[in-house]
Amino acid sequence: MEEAVKILINELKIKIIDTLNFEDITPDDIVEHHQLVGGELGIDSIDILELVMMIDKDYGIKIDNKELGEKVFASLTSLANFIYENSKSVAN
Amino acid sequence: MTDVRVYITGMGLVSPAGCGVSKTRDAIRRGEKKIRPLSLFSVSQDNRLPVGEVSESIETGGVPRTHQLALIAAKEAMAQCKDVPDAVVMGVTTGGMLSTERCLKAGDTNPESFKYHSTGSVAEHIAHEFRCYGPAITISTACSSGAVAIKIALEMLRTGRARMVLAGGADSLSRFTYYGFRALQLIDPEGARPLDKKRRGMSVAEGAAVLVLTACEDVPDNAIAEILGVGLSCDAHHPSAPHPEGAGALQAMKAAIRDAHISVAEIDYINLHGTGTIDNDLSEARALNTLFPDKKPLMSSIKGAFGHLLGAAGAMEAIVSALAVSENLIPANVGCDVPDPKLRLDPLMAPLETANVQTVLSNSFGFGGNNASVVIGSPNRVRPSVRLKGLSSFSVLGSACLTGAGNTEMSLERISGGKSCKGMVPAPVITEGLSPKVIRRLKRLPRLTLSLASAAHANSGLPDAPSSVFFGTGWGALSETYDFLTKLFESEEQFTSPIDFIGSVHNAPAGHVAIQFGSVGPNITTAGGDYSFEQALMLAGLMAKDIDDTLFVIGSDESHGVLSGLFDRSVRTDDTLSDGGGGLCLRRSESSAGLRTSVTFYENSKNNPSVISSLIVNLAGEEGIREKYGAILAGIPAGCRGRGEEQLRDFLSLSGFEGPVIDYRRFTGEFASASAVASVLAIRFVDRRELPGGLCGGETVYLRGKGILLIGLGDFVTATEVIH
């Protein structure tokens, strides 16, 4: 895994905890390759939409349909990779 | 009770087709689509989504657009009617939001600018116009509000509480709902295509629909259609997504059919909820396939033609259903080109004017899983005589309150010592016993409400959870509303929070109670300012026959540092911001044993100069009052203290009541649902058969078997009794 993606994963853990108001969860509790939706964190479709808004705001990347959303939010790793790939193209 | 039947004798409608029922009727006849790009307020180009907007110019005359739309519809409905309605019941979700959001964005801090903010002010505006003496009730159950309003009117008429009621719904477009549904990715950029294979969502729309409902033994000459029955249910599944199998939708349709005393086979046409969202249409289709496994009636959704009128949708669709039975006009499912085979439904692709339509089922479902189905029939349709049960009273199984002093015990201790409970409920008290997982996404009002439900249920000792929820809130979820708008404005209308949007609907707290307790029965949220809790308790009484055994009645309001002072004139008079509420766990009871509570009186004092005399007559006169009640708890909102104190003086002098009278807002502080706290206090005092000395000048007052009368004063006068 590229170093940049690793940094992104750690950054996203904090953002997820903050955005979704997880008071009793630390970044270490989020395992990047675990299922994000419907997993042990109890994240559901509304949480995903809240994260969509955060990603648009903080990274300038839009995820505006369900099919793409399901693929991107499969796990934290897939989310970080998607943001990494798309911010590269934005930067270029 | 005789076989009273309820007829639609007048209709008024403002929709994206224009002002007047005939505009919508003509658009239906031509199968027109009235969804166009938004023009009412400016949004950035890449944000411009199609909506159902009333394109005619609407002069608002100092009130918000929703109020004016409602008034236009009400005037049309009442055009041929000279009588004064006995009550007004309106379904409204956002009230004066279009004006409020503009003022907040501009940094306006003049409370005058927000005086029509509340959802409850729409019904009051109409009641004022028609000089209605009776209750002005506001139902706020998101997208089913207009249909639920018809249910409440129906029960008022059936139980003899009214002979004629104005019922309907109204909502104007606002940035709030426009960006809220957009944030949920529920808007179809092509315009709503209900049931279509390629559907991607709904179109937000605006309008108002008002029906004159009249109770008669015989069919009146001006009867357009008959309201045969309405069924309500709650998914108790998710704050915004419908139950995947349509369990709640099915339950509401079955309840409506039962209430109408008809068979499933008698339904000729179904006006679908059919929003065009992927999940709604799928869930509704599954429910319909279960209810009609073989031959299905004709069916269509009008939301592809006009969009989703939110609080007005259920009432507009009742009008469209009335047109179906009175003129045999069935709308096309506009917007659908290729029906989604997964739905296994066969929507009407063109308007139909040749079918003989006797009976229509109209569906309206909303956030919080609040479902309503209305059955409308031809007035000349043969129907067996039905004898309806009268009002039931409720026995009190459990109660709990929250105040600035803390939980029930803390509040009772302070109040019993004659000390104030003013202030905001301490956060750790609210969350005590609530699972962090359950409340993660909830802000102050839903937390308060869940906490009250849990404590009232624990106090009842009931092993099972109550099946129904009646919830009253003056102002709804202010934190979510404020945070949603703040984020929206700070990001120049780019970003906002979907969680705050879902949480901002008035019925969200009651939805969370239903999810937590698995309460799948009727779930109604009322928003009638300082009388919201009384509305909730009164509606529970009206709906008694639809309630399966036990229920919650809860009233709560949160205090918000910015909005409470802007919106609530009573809050502005007090240096201390206060909030809290009360929750009751009740059982339907035909017997007169045990501790009981009910609302016995609710009238509009602005339109009724002799309201106090009416109250005394209602309470069986001086003697009745003296014999029945040992004390009075008087609720006088500070915003109308002068008028309230005068009303109390009149009441005491006319009734000759000499027992203790407690001005309870001096102890609870100023917030809309302070009366819910007072109800809980009254229940505890009547149960102990005494009133603590600290409250009444030093000496304990023994109630000697008598009850306590709670009187609400000000713009409305209400009476709620707690008796043994």
Side-chain angles (χ1 to χ4, degrees):
Chain A
M1 195 185 297
E2 284 194 49
E3 194 58 28
V5 176
K6 277 189 190 158
I7 293 168
L8 200 50
I9 284 175
N10 287 329
E11 186 178 292
L12 282 167
K13 284 181 176 181
I14 295 163
K15 283 182 190 281
I16 288 172
I17 288 171
D18 187 42
T19 308
L20 301 183
N21 199 24
F22 282 116
E23 282 171 3
D24 51 349
I25 283 174
T26 65
D28 292 342
D29 295 331
I30 306 177
V31 184
E32 52 260 40
H33 60 271
H34 279 191
Q35 182 188 333
L36 203 53
V37 182
E40 62 265 39
L41 297 174
I43 291 179
D44 73 1
S45 57
I46 305 178
D47 292 317
I48 292 302
L49 290 170
E50 198 72 34
L51 294 179
V52 164
M53 212 45 95
M54 178 272 287
I55 290 157
D56 191 357
K57 186 163 161 273
D58 292 2
Y59 300 96
I61 297 167
K62 289 196 192 305
I63 306 166
D64 57 3
N65 71 73
K66 212 177 165 181
E67 294 74 31
L68 177 63
E70 276 170 15
K71 216 170 73 189
V72 172
F73 288 102
S75 68
L76 186 53
T77 309
S78 60
L79 176 62
N81 278 319
F82 177 79
I83 293 174
Y84 179 67
E85 292 300 323
N86 282 274
S87 25
K88 267 200 309 195
S89 66
V90 170
N92 292 340
Chain B
M1 193 171 290
T2 53
D3 178 29
V4 170
R5 296 169 73 153
V6 175
Y7 297 94
I8 301 173
T9 55
M11 307 195 295
L13 179 59
V14 182
S15 86
C19 295
V21 173
S22 62
K23 293 267 177 64
T24 294
R25 177 174 43 210
D26 294 346
I28 290 174
R29 280 217 168 96
R30 293 192 287 262
E32 287 173 351
K33 187 177 178 90
K34 294 292 183 185
I35 295 171
R36 290 177 286 262
L38 174 76
S39 72
L40 183 64
F41 44 87
S42 59
V43 291
S44 61
Q45 257 324 308
D46 59 332
N47 268 336
R48 209 153 167 248
L49 293 161
V51 295
E53 182 175 325
V54 177
S55 52
E56 288 169 38
S57 161
I58 303 290
E59 292 296 329
T60 57
V63 295
R65 187 172 169 91
T66 299
H67 297 60
Q68 189 59 23
L69 295 174
L71 193 59
I72 295 169
K75 281 184 173 169
E76 184 192 7
M78 288 290 286
Q80 307 302 321
C81 179
K82 290 185 182 68
D83 298 332
V84 174
D86 298 316
V88 176
V89 190
M90 289 295 285
V92 181
T93 70
T94 52
M97 184 56 83
L98 180 66
S99 304
T100 297
E101 60 195 16
R102 191 174 53 229
C103 295
L104 285 175
K105 191 177 178 183
D108 186 345
T109 53
N110 180 2
E112 264 309 288
S113 310
F114 301 92
K115 77 176 181 185
Y116 292 102
H117 169 75
S118 80
T119 49
S121 62
V122 180
E124 288 171 24
H125 186 58
I126 292 176
H128 180 72
E129 175 72 21
F130 297 101
R131 314 295 301 162
C132 170
Y133 275 28
I137 294 171
T138 299
I139 305 294
S140 209
T141 56
C143 303
S144 62
S145 303
V148 177
I150 292 172
K151 171 67 172 176
I152 297 310
L154 176 67
E155 297 305 335
M156 291 183 107
L157 294 160
R158 280 173 166 178
T159 53
R161 280 223 170 184
R163 295 294 294 173
M164 195 250 278
V165 179
L166 272 185
D171 266 318
S172 79
L173 286 168
S174 65
R175 290 163 189 83
F176 200 91
T177 46
Y178 178 85
Y179 286 111
F181 285 107
R182 178 174 161 267
L184 288 173
Q185 299 190 350
L186 287 178
I187 296 189
D188 191 329
E190 310 283 318
R193 293 169 282 183
L195 311 192
D196 192 272
K197 209 176 153 182
K198 292 183 180 164
R199 71 184 183 284
R200 282 183 60 192
M202 57 187 274
S203 297
V204 187
E206 64 176 354
V210 176
L211 299 97
V212 180
L213 300 181
T214 308
C216 290
E217 280 80 32
D218 302 306
V219 186
D221 294 339
N222 57 348
I224 301 161
E226 181 179 358
I227 307 282
L228 295 173
V230 183
L232 307 182
S233 77
C234 183
D235 282 0
H237 167 70
H238 189 269
S240 64
H243 187 281
E245 297 304 318
L250 179 64
Q251 194 191 332
M253 287 191 277
K254 282 183 170 172
I257 288 164
R258 230 179 9 251
D259 194 42
H261 293 89
I262 60 162
S263 68
V264 174
E266 285 176 81
I267 295 164
D268 301 309
Y269 164 62
I270 301 173
N271 185 281
L272 301 167
H273 183 49
T275 57
T277 68
I278 292 169
D279 290 343
N280 169 79
D281 291 4
L282 193 57
S283 158
E284 189 175 15
R286 285 186 174 146
L288 286 167
N289 279 297
T290 309
L291 189 62
F292 301 93
D294 306 314
K295 188 175 180 298
K296 291 179 184 57
L298 299 166
M299 63 179 74
S300 60
S301 160
I302 61 164
K303 292 190 176 80
F306 305 107
H308 190 338
L309 273 69
L310 308 181
M316 175 181 182
E317 287 164 34
I319 290 177
V320 170
S321 301
L323 292 175
V325 297
S326 62
E327 303 186 17
N328 289 328
L329 172 62
I330 305 188
N333 197 106
V334 172
C336 176
D337 289 330
V338 181
D340 183 348
K342 276 198 270 191
L343 305 179
R344 295 193 291 130
L345 297 178
D346 188 15
L348 267 169
M349 304 303 275
L352 190 67
E353 295 194 63
T354 51
N356 175 19
V357 183
Q358 290 285 310
T359 315
V360 178
L361 178 76
S362 179
N363 283 340
S364 295
F365 311 135
F367 274 1
N370 283 178
N371 308 306
S373 294
V374 182
V375 181
I376 288 174
S378 158
N380 302 313
R381 184 184 176 288
V382 180
R383 186 166 75 98
S385 177
V386 181
R387 283 190 176 274
L388 294 158
K389 277 196 208 160
L391 283 171
S392 302
S393 72
F394 294 111
S395 49
V396 180
L397 305 176
S399 62
C401 68
L402 289 169
T403 70
N407 64 21
T408 317
E409 284 63 40
M410 295 163 176
S411 307
L412 272 168
E413 195 187 320
R414 284 275 276 279
I415 288 212
S416 298
K419 293 188 189 126
S420 155
C421 285
K422 284 184 182 183
M424 289 169 72
V425 186
V429 173
I430 304 175
T431 51
E432 196 188 343
L434 300 177
S435 143
K437 262 201 170 129
V438 169
I439 60 171
R440 168 171 65 87
R441 285 197 298 230
L442 311 186
K443 293 186 177 173
R444 193 165 176 86
L445 186 68
R447 287 181 176 201
L448 276 169
T449 311
L450 259 186
S451 180
L452 287 166
S454 301
H457 185 246
N459 181 247
S460 75
L462 267 182
D464 301 326
S467 63
S468 297
V469 184
F470 291 79
F471 171 57
T473 178
W475 300 101
L478 295 178
S479 297
E480 286 84 343
T481 302
Y482 185 79
D483 292 349
F484 179 91
L485 288 174
T486 304
K487 262 189 200 164
L488 185 67
F489 296 150
E490 279 176 359
S491 66
E492 293 183 344
E493 303 191 4
Q494 288 302 307
F495 310 112
T496 191
S497 161
I499 291 179
D500 282 339
F501 180 62
I502 291 167
S504 74
V505 294
H506 278 53
N507 59 319
H512 288 295
V513 172
I515 292 170
Q516 187 65 15
F517 287 88
S519 312
V520 295
N523 186 304
I524 296 183
T525 296
T526 57
D530 294 313
Y531 316 91
S532 302
F533 173 73
E534 286 85 340
Q535 290 195 2
L537 186 57
M538 180 168 71
L539 266 47
L542 286 170
M543 294 270 305
K545 73 174 177 55
D546 297 73
I547 294 166
D548 185 19
D549 197 28
T550 56
L551 65 148
F552 282 120
V553 179
I554 303 167
S556 63
D557 272 284
E558 68 165 304
S559 176
H560 187 273
V562 177
L563 297 185
S564 294
L566 285 179
F567 294 166
D568 190 330
R569 59 189 170 150
S570 297
V571 169
R572 286 196 294 278
T573 65
D574 203 337
D575 295 335
T576 310
L577 277 178
S578 300
D579 63 8
L584 311 180
C585 191
L586 305 174
R587 168 172 280 146
R588 202 179 73 182
S589 161
E590 311 295 339
S591 101
S592 57
L595 196 62
R596 281 164 297 133
T597 187
S598 61
V599 176
T600 61
F601 186 83
Y602 196 121
E603 281 194 8
N604 190 325
S605 73
K606 278 186 180 166
N607 299 337
N608 181 2
S610 54
V611 65
I612 297 298
S613 309
S614 307
L615 170 64
I616 289 169
V617 171
N618 172 274
L619 296 170
E622 291 170 51
E623 206 172 318
I625 295 168
R626 211 168 34 239
E627 274 178 14
K628 215 170 176 186
Y629 311 113
I632 288 173
L633 298 190
I636 309 173
C640 38
R641 187 148 270 281
R643 182 206 290 250
E645 285 181 348
E646 192 186 328
Q647 289 165 337
L648 185 58
R649 276 196 300 276
D650 288 352
F651 176 82
L652 294 175
S653 84
L654 287 170
S655 69
F657 185 81
E658 287 174 344
V661 178
I662 293 139
D663 185 350
Y664 63 76
R665 281 204 178 211
R666 299 212 185 270
F667 295 93
T668 59
E670 295 295 334
F671 57 100
S673 47
S675 58
V677 175
S679 285
V680 173
L681 297 175
I683 284 165
R684 299 299 179 103
F685 297 153
V686 172
D687 193 38
R688 293 176 187 175
R689 295 164 199 265
E690 61 180 48
L691 215 59
L695 268 183
C696 21
E699 294 285 313
T700 300
V701 172
Y702 296 99
L703 292 168
R704 302 182 200 289
K706 290 183 184 177
I708 290 179
L709 181 68
L710 295 127
I711 307 183
L713 299 163
D715 293 344
F716 288 81
V717 171
T718 65
T720 306
E721 61 177 24
V722 177
I723 49 172
H724 245 306

